[in-house]
Amino acid sequence: MGHYILALDQGTTSSRAILFDQAQNIIGMAQREYTQHYPHEGWVEHDPLEIYSSQYAVMMELIAKCDVNAADITAIGITNQRETTILWDKQTGKPIYNAIVWQCRRTAGIVDELVNLGLDEHIRKTTGLVPDAYFSGTKIKWILDNTPGARERAASGDILFGTVDSWLIWKLTNGKAHVTDYTNASRTMLYDIHKLDWDDTLLEALNIPRAMLPQVRPSSEIYGHVNIQGAQIPIAGAAGDQQAALFGQCCFEAGQAKNTYGTGCFLLTHTGEQALRSKNGLVTTIAASVNGKVQYALEGSVFVGGAVIQWLRDEMRFFSESSDAQYYAQKVEDTGGVYMVPAFAGLGAPHWDMYARGCIVGITRGTKREHIIRAAQESIAYQSLDLVRAMEKDTGKPIRELKVDGGASKDAFLMQFQADILNASILRPAVRETTALGAAYLAGLATGFWNDQEEIRSLWQCEIEYTSCMDIEQRDKLINGWNRAVGRSMNWATP
């Protein structure tokens, strides 16, 4: 038995590697940002080779930086940005097109075609999802339709599809393992989450051959091995980033919820072995689980969470460091009536409006930069509020406690405003890297590094709790203003 678990966290804007010991202490971390490509309005792409090279580089950098012998690493767990779609040549290992990122809206028209074919209800019932360009299926069709010769080669098995987990595992194992896990498969809009198989109706509708699809496996088992410094290290865990975070927050039972504040915001509530269908704009997804069980979660996705702060920094140049947003937001008592709806890539749950676009409303002659920054900060909390209220309607139970993680959970102003607007307790764990920790847990449980879920549950600790101190009249007034602002942004870019 080695001393460490290595987690590879391949995110939307950066690749990271984190080394954990058995007490879930972080021994070291390495991170590298990589290029975002925006070839047209609403399009987002990554270079798959840069995804892999950045991930491999931080893995090797971390091992060297920590002066760790590779033989002391028990296993590797992988967590990844979900829905992002990669197609590559099975023989050469070269991508046939850039990765189409989950944020990309180019396939909205293909989604409309599926709905016009009468497949709306089939998609919801079978995959647990709603018809949207967010998911992988329509992205696969787009690449096959727009890459010469791709369809014929895909039908013969010469072109492979994978989400980022599949791509990394295939590359790290030198092409020996073409697999994905249940959680990532459940985000493709091609996978029957009840029968646990690819759905022939949707494959036919999108003209996607089964030959190109990965084998779907549990989230906690050995998929293959990576040769590092002569040591054969098993890849023993994989989960999409949000399901990994749910697992890393030790939300193992029905009713337990977490919200991740990253590029987007993602609220998941565990529903046990019941695939609960949403009536309020959420999606049903497979949760990361162990011991051969298949468990489910309800999920709400905000497309632009922390990314709105990056936008203020990079495009608007309101400040030079993302952490400055908290400082400027507190320079004013409130937003002065300004609301920002950051629907840059449409609106996700519970609205699901592919044609919504961002807006700033309530501007007056007295509006300052600080008001807009504060409105951007608050928009993250408002969007999460919409998810929580939808979740409560679906489950019939109020969410009184919400575990939080992700980069923006470090923002004390945002977390306090979230507690205020939700009228709930916000719990931030001592170990904030819960996405990577979830992947580590899955790999560690598959290899005996940890014995069971009770052992890792005992390790979870709360660092800080935020409680509401806003009166009900103020809360209702603010929420009413937010709802009006959302209405202004919807259906803006309808063809």
Side-chain angles (χ1 to χ4, degrees), residues 77-226:
I78 293 176
T79 183
N80 57 285
Q81 54 165 317
R82 304 170 305 170
E83 298 95 20
T84 294
T85 299
I86 303 172
L87 272 60
W88 68 92
D89 186 300
K90 183 179 180 179
Q91 305 305 320
T92 66
K94 293 182 179 179
I96 68 169
Y97 190 83
N98 268 350
I100 300 182
V101 180
W102 58 271
Q103 299 161 312
C104 187
R105 311 310 293 170
R106 78 183 67 183
T107 63
I110 300 175
V111 174
D112 291 340
E113 291 173 11
L114 293 176
V115 173
N116 291 336
L117 287 171
L119 289 170
D120 186 317
E121 176 60 19
H122 180 80
I123 290 170
R124 294 172 188 268
K125 181 179 178 181
T126 303
T127 71
L129 307 176
V130 300
D132 196 86
Y134 176 26
F135 305 109
S136 310
T138 57
K139 301 181 191 341
I140 301 172
K141 174 177 169 57
W142 191 95
I143 295 175
L144 292 176
D145 286 345
N146 289 275
T147 306
R151 285 210 165 276
E152 296 75 15
R153 295 166 65 204
S156 63
D158 290 331
I159 300 296
L160 301 181
F161 153 72
T163 41
V164 171
D165 59 310
S166 298
W167 169 243
L168 292 178
I169 293 171
W170 194 86
K171 292 287 285 182
L172 289 168
T173 62
N174 289 317
K176 293 178 181 177
H178 182 217
V179 300
T180 190
D181 86 300
Y182 288 140
T183 69
N184 279 293
S186 72
R187 311 298 298 183
T188 59
M189 211 173 78
L190 298 172
Y191 193 70
D192 188 325
I193 63 172
H194 310 286
K195 296 179 181 178
L196 303 180
D197 192 13
W198 300 109
D199 181 72
D200 287 325
T201 299
L202 293 170
L203 293 178
E204 182 179 353
L206 292 167
N207 195 12
I208 295 172
R210 267 185 180 259
M212 68 187 303
L213 303 177
Q215 181 185 8
V216 186
R217 307 267 288 274
S219 300
S220 181
E221 70 171 43
I222 295 173
Y223 312 114
H225 292 78
V226 185

